[in-house]
Amino acid sequence: MSSTAGQVIKCRAAVAWEAGKPLVMEEVEVAPPKAMEVRLKILYTSLCHTDVYFWEAKGQTPVFPRIFGHEAGGVVESVGEGVTDLSPGDHVLPIFMGECKECAHCKSQESNMCDLLRINTDRGVMISDGQSRFSINGKPIYHFLGTSTFSEYTVVHVGCVAKINPLAPLDKVCVISCGISTGYGAAVNVAKPPKGSTVAVFGLGAVGLAAAEGARASGASRIIGVDINPKRFEEAKKFGVTEFVNPTDYDRPVQEVLAEMTNGGVDRSIECSGSTSAMISAFECVHDGWGVAVLVGVPHKDAVFKTHPVNFLVERTLKGTFYGNYKPCSDIPAVVEKYMAKELELEKFITHSVPFSEINKAFDYMLKGESLRCIIHMDG
């Protein structure tokens, strides 16, 4: 692989030229990594709802043409100046937020919100020089979340790359790089449900089901899944969900339904849909005195959260989290080891598989609500 170090690489990438239109397979030029950057050969990537959300560009700032993708596994092809933690051939997961290891957040035991490398959905260029590493005929193609994994090669800041066990199957552990860690960590690291507690999970997509899995691993005895799609209920049982509530079945707020079911409210709730109304319900359904609600879903850019201040005064707690409070470089290798030790099951999250040439099928599956995770094989 080192024969390409320092050179421009031509490869296939699935380019989004405009919002909501099918991705187009193009030959792109990928520049070599600059200081504190690495160039990765992506072997497997998967489609996350966040990719679809920004591809649709209905509630966010449109940035096109762009290469989406942020949940993936691959190997290091070459490293830029100053990179000492990674070498060509290392097995890695690129991650949409990073760890500079120098700022106050990185030095804190409580935060993973790195000042330098925190998530930035509007930025389409590299941090170091404000330029893209992708181009077609000399014209820049923009990055997405600093990862852009819908390309056979990509350039990523070294702080957004987790080096993992080379024995871990990349076609499975690639899902740890976003959705599964986001949901699982929201439960085990942030909500922290006590043994025997009751947990409500709003939104039963891959992130919500990972949150349910985390609640089960924490010892919750009742896990109530809340979703407007009843087709998701049967599958959710595999992830520890014990009861189901469809808000559209009731003519009163779902938080009232949940309070009635649980003698005053659930002990913990985790909101994974991004819907503002679901966020309010998730907060208002937790028990006064000790209830904790955790927000995970990404809202519309103009969204507003409204609730009565008394809901706080009666000792309910509202928290938010990005990426399950995991520090990407420091913590994610241990999550991969949980899978290797059979303490975390990933296969049940993977419902579909397509070759890279058919990546638009992955979008179709997700838009129809048929898939949790679709693995995209880059060699196809």
Side-chain angles (χ1 to χ4, degrees):
M1 276 192 289
S2 58
S3 63
T4 50
Q7 300 175 27
V8 170
I9 289 178
K10 290 185 177 182
C11 70
R12 290 184 303 163
V15 177
W17 287 101
E18 52 185 308
K21 295 292 173 68
L23 305 188
V24 180
M25 203 60 69
E26 304 278 11
E27 182 180 77
V28 299
E29 294 191 338
V30 185
K34 296 196 175 181
M36 302 310 290
E37 296 172 0
V38 295
R39 188 161 57 185
L40 309 179
K41 180 180 173 67
I42 300 297
L43 298 178
Y44 301 95
T45 186
S46 59
L47 181 65
C48 169
H49 190 264
T50 303
D51 296 306
V52 176
Y53 190 47
F54 284 90
W55 165 75
E56 290 178 320
K58 290 176 182 173
Q60 305 292 345
T61 307
V63 180
F64 294 95
R66 201 171 205 182
I67 297 172
F68 285 101
H70 64 283
E71 199 172 86
V75 296
V76 175
E77 175 269 336
S78 60
V79 303
E81 182 186 341
V83 174
T84 56
D85 295 346
L86 293 169
S87 304
D90 285 345
H91 285 221
V92 295
L93 303 180
I95 295 170
F96 66 89
M97 56 191 294
E99 192 179 346
C100 73
K101 301 186 179 177
E102 298 294 329
C103 71
H105 286 276
C106 286
K107 290 178 177 176
S108 163
Q109 294 298 306
E110 297 179 40
S111 174
N112 68 344
M113 298 296 293
C114 174
D115 279 332
L116 179 68
L117 301 171
R118 71 174 56 189
I119 185 172
N120 184 328
T121 57
D122 294 339
R123 187 173 59 232
V125 294
M126 298 302 288
I127 287 174
S128 63
D129 61 358
Q131 302 293 312
S132 174
R133 301 289 175 263
F134 298 108
S135 62
I136 296 178
N137 298 325
K139 294 183 179 176
I141 307 296
Y142 294 109
H143 295 249
F144 179 60
L145 297 184
T147 52
S148 291
T149 61
F150 295 165
S151 174
E152 291 174 319
Y153 288 86
T154 189
V155 177
V156 182
H157 190 285
V158 67
C160 298
V161 180
K163 180 181 175 180
I164 64 164
N165 184 341
L167 299 178
L170 289 170
D171 61 332
K172 305 294 190 299
V173 298
C174 64
V175 298
I176 288 174
S177 69
C178 176
I180 309 313
S181 299
T182 296
Y184 191 84
V188 300
N189 296 333
V190 186
K192 298 179 180 175
K195 279 190 169 57
S197 60
T198 299
V199 178
V201 177
F202 288 72
L204 298 177
V207 174
L209 293 175
E213 188 78 15
R216 175 164 67 178
S218 300
S221 59
R222 288 178 76 186
I223 302 172
I224 304 169
V226 183
D227 202 295
I228 58 174
N229 181 358
K231 291 178 183 172
R232 290 180 163 171
F233 291 171
E234 192 59 37
E235 186 163 42
K237 291 177 183 176
K238 300 178 199 167
F239 300 84
V241 178
T242 56
E243 299 157 69
F244 306 96
V245 172
N246 183 341
T248 62
D249 290 344
Y250 301 89
D251 57 5
R252 63 191 196 278
V254 70
Q255 52 267 48
E256 293 179 14
V257 176
L258 291 164
E260 199 173 275
M261 289 171 63
T262 56
N263 195 27
V266 299
D267 302 303
R268 301 288 186 269
S269 71
I270 305 170
E271 197 293 313
C272 301
S273 76
S275 155
T276 314
S277 62
M279 293 178 181
I280 294 165
S281 298
F283 175 55
E284 294 182 356
C285 81
V286 298
H287 207 292
D288 57 6
W290 61 79
V292 178
V294 177
L295 304 186
V296 179
V298 178
H300 186 284
K301 64 179 170 55
D302 298 321
V304 176
F305 182 100
K306 290 183 179 178
T307 191
H308 198 285
V310 166
N311 289 320
F312 291 97
L313 293 174
V314 294
E315 301 185 0
R316 290 184 181 92
T317 299
L318 179 64
K319 293 183 172 185
T321 176
F322 254 116
Y323 200 48
N325 202 232
Y326 287 117
K327 291 181 186 281
C329 302
S330 302
D331 296 338
I332 290 309
V335 180
V336 171
E337 292 307 320
K338 269 186 176 293
Y339 168 76
M340 297 297 282
K342 295 185 167 52
E343 295 170 20
L344 175 62
E345 191 181 340
L346 299 177
E347 285 81 358
K348 61 189 174 184
F349 290 97
I350 299 167
T351 53
H352 295 77
S353 172
V354 297
F356 188 35
S357 58
E358 298 177 16
I359 188 171
N360 287 305
K361 281 187 179 176
F363 281 74
D364 293 339
Y365 293 141
M366 185 160 282
L367 288 167
K368 290 176 185 172
E370 294 175 359
S371 68
L372 290 176
R373 279 296 182 266
C374 178
I375 302 298
I376 298 154
H377 297 247
M378 299 303 285
D379 58 0

